Amino acid sequence: MTAPAKEDTDRIVEAVIYLYTESRRVTKEVARSLGMTGPQVTAIKLLEGFGDLSLSALSERMSAKNSTITGLVDRLERDGMVTRARSTEDRRVTLIRLTPAGRKLAGQIPVTSMEMFARALCSLDARERDQLRGLLRKLTDHIRKDVEQLDVDNATPTRESHGI
């Protein structure tokens, strides 16, 4: 990679890290003020915005493994924020649904980080947003493949891990 290309790449990586870090920081502050975790706040706001979601759909929207989301939903259910209900369309699917207490809490949670992103995106014209969406989709697809490969590589036992 040439020096100018590396410099451009470094600046882009720094910008992405900044956006991610600030978003998490703001979400954590909101969560802390409510005695919750950032992922719990995110799950409640997603359920408020999208309605009932299956565990898989919630996992996908939060970019987390089903096992991680299962524990998160267990805690939210224990705290009376969500319930699990069988889908009327597909009995094999369990939907996660906000309770009245969960809906009330969701209404009190500010979505500061999301609002900041929305304001920043609205500062772009339609062509710029379209270009950004395409570029982000391309980056996401590439990273998703890399992560899947890492998961496969990490799941494969090595000779060393078996003392061979």
Side-chain angles (χ1 to χ4, degrees):
M1 184 181 309
T2 66
K6 180 169 180 359
E7 196 172 305
D8 280 349
T9 302
D10 288 348
R11 296 262 187 293
I12 293 167
V13 169
E14 287 170 10
V16 169
I17 290 170
Y18 172 79
L19 294 171
Y20 172 76
T21 302
E22 285 305 298
S23 174
R24 283 187 51 108
R25 184 185 61 77
V26 169
T27 300
K28 281 183 177 182
E29 286 177 11
V30 169
R32 194 176 310 118
S33 73
L34 297 167
M36 302 176 77
T37 66
Q40 288 174 321
V41 166
T42 300
I44 286 176
K45 291 307 281 187
L46 284 169
L47 290 166
E48 178 190 41
F50 291 101
D52 300 351
L53 292 172
S54 68
L55 187 72
S56 295
L58 186 58
S59 296
E60 185 176 318
R61 292 197 181 276
M62 292 183 66
S63 299
K65 295 183 190 284
N66 280 358
S67 58
T68 300
I69 299 303
T70 297
L72 183 142
V73 169
D74 287 346
R75 289 183 293 282
L76 288 173
E77 187 175 39
R78 178 199 67 209
D79 295 341
M81 298 295 121
V82 301
T83 59
R84 289 178 165 98
R86 288 269 175 227
S87 167
T88 56
E89 296 170 10
D90 184 345
R91 303 272 309 144
R92 296 170 296 176
V93 175
T94 299
L95 298 173
I96 312 306
R97 174 176 295 155
L98 286 175
T99 63
R103 277 192 296 283
K104 181 179 178 187
L105 178 62
Q108 297 169 352
I109 297 173
V111 287
T112 311
S113 62
M114 295 170 104
E115 290 167 350
M116 290 187 314
F117 275 116
R119 280 193 303 275
L121 290 169
C122 285
S123 73
L124 304 175
D125 64 35
R127 182 185 57 76
E128 290 171 323
R129 286 192 306 272
D130 191 47
Q131 289 174 330
L132 179 59
R133 188 175 29 259
L135 291 169
L136 289 172
R137 188 177 309 117
K138 190 173 180 178
L139 287 171
T140 300
D141 290 346
H142 184 82
I143 290 172
R144 184 174 287 127
K145 287 176 189 170
D146 283 355
V147 168
E148 288 169 359
Q149 186 59 50
L150 279 173
D151 288 346
V152 167
D153 292 348
N154 290 333
T156 306
T158 63
R159 298 174 73 109
E160 292 78 26
S161 67
H162 285 59
I164 298 173

